[in-house]
Amino acid sequence: MSTWTLDQLQTYIHDARGQQLETARVAAQGHAYNSSHPQEARRQWAKLSLLANRRMLDDAEGPSARVRVAQQDFMLRMWVINRLGPDRTDHDWSPEALASDTLDTLTFTPAQAAGLAGGWRDLPIERIRELRWHRNLTAHLESLVGYLAPGPVREQLAVWNATRSLLP
């Protein structure tokens, strides 16, 4: 797949399922990371990687699969914003949209997460898993905060970024 064209991989993704989508996601992401490609081509490859990743939700079972898809999505979008620059006209490359999508995905407030994190070793495994998911879903916040204008969203993400270090 690493030698396929954008169109070939896009056609493949249309009918792929499960591990095939993961393989396609990784192949497209590899092209996006390739600095020998022009910037716009790298964005197109990144879009294709996002498509493959999001298609995995079609067969996703349980919250862990949805969290993994969201984390992959957030990390690639942040990478594109950092390396290729933000594009506020495109939802995927907009720091504000990424901030909103991140906050929409989190199920705890920073205060709830911090409160639970203090005694995480005594929590049921399911709750520890949720805290771990929140740590993973906020891995991109340190970079993202710098792209946002001062205001409530930026402040909320800054609090989450500080809280993240407390999570298991």
Side-chain angles (χ1 to χ4, degrees), residues 79-132:
W79 182 88
V80 168
I81 290 167
N82 274 334
R83 300 292 169 93
L84 306 177
D87 179 352
R88 286 171 169 81
T89 65
D90 185 319
H91 181 89
D92 289 328
W93 319 136
S94 163
E96 294 78 14
L98 179 53
S100 177
D101 292 347
T102 301
L103 290 173
D104 288 347
T105 302
L106 302 173
T107 58
F108 292 139
T109 66
Q112 289 170 325
L116 290 168
W120 70 268
R121 286 180 177 83
D122 299 324
L123 295 172
I125 191 72
E126 296 81 19
R127 190 61 80 179
I128 296 169
R129 187 178 303 124
E130 288 177 283
L131 289 172
R132 192 77 187 139

Side-chain angles (χ1 to χ4, degrees), residues 17-152:
R17 291 273 185 257
Q19 189 57 42
Q20 294 171 324
L21 286 168
E22 177 63 11
T23 302
R25 180 194 70 78
V26 170
Q29 188 170 305
H31 284 286
Y33 289 169
N34 187 338
S35 61
S36 69
H37 292 311
Q39 184 172 337
E40 190 50 41
R42 293 171 78 187
R43 284 184 190 272
Q44 290 174 335
W45 282 108
K47 279 278 192 192
L48 194 56
S49 182
L50 289 175
L51 173 65
N53 187 54
R54 292 168 182 167
R55 288 266 344 277
M56 284 190 258
L57 287 174
D58 296 344
D59 300 324
E61 293 184 19
S64 63
R66 287 187 293 279
V67 168
R68 193 208 61 73
V69 166
Q71 181 191 12
Q72 291 289 347
D73 188 281
F74 296 165
M75 294 304 290
L76 181 57
R77 289 167 67 189
M78 189 72 250
W79 182 88
V80 168
I81 290 167
N82 274 334
R83 300 292 169 93
L84 306 177
D87 179 352
R88 286 171 169 81
T89 65
D90 185 319
H91 181 89
D92 289 328
W93 319 136
S94 163
E96 294 78 14
L98 179 53
S100 177
D101 292 347
T102 301
L103 290 173
D104 288 347
T105 302
L106 302 173
T107 58
F108 292 139
T109 66
Q112 289 170 325
L116 290 168
W120 70 268
R121 286 180 177 83
D122 299 324
L123 295 172
I125 191 72
E126 296 81 19
R127 190 61 80 179
I128 296 169
R129 187 178 303 124
E130 288 177 283
L131 289 172
R132 192 77 187 139
W133 289 340
H134 280 70
R135 182 178 178 86
N136 293 340
L137 289 169
T138 56
H140 62 289
L141 294 185
E142 187 172 351
S143 294
L144 180 59
V145 167
Y147 287 95
L148 301 173

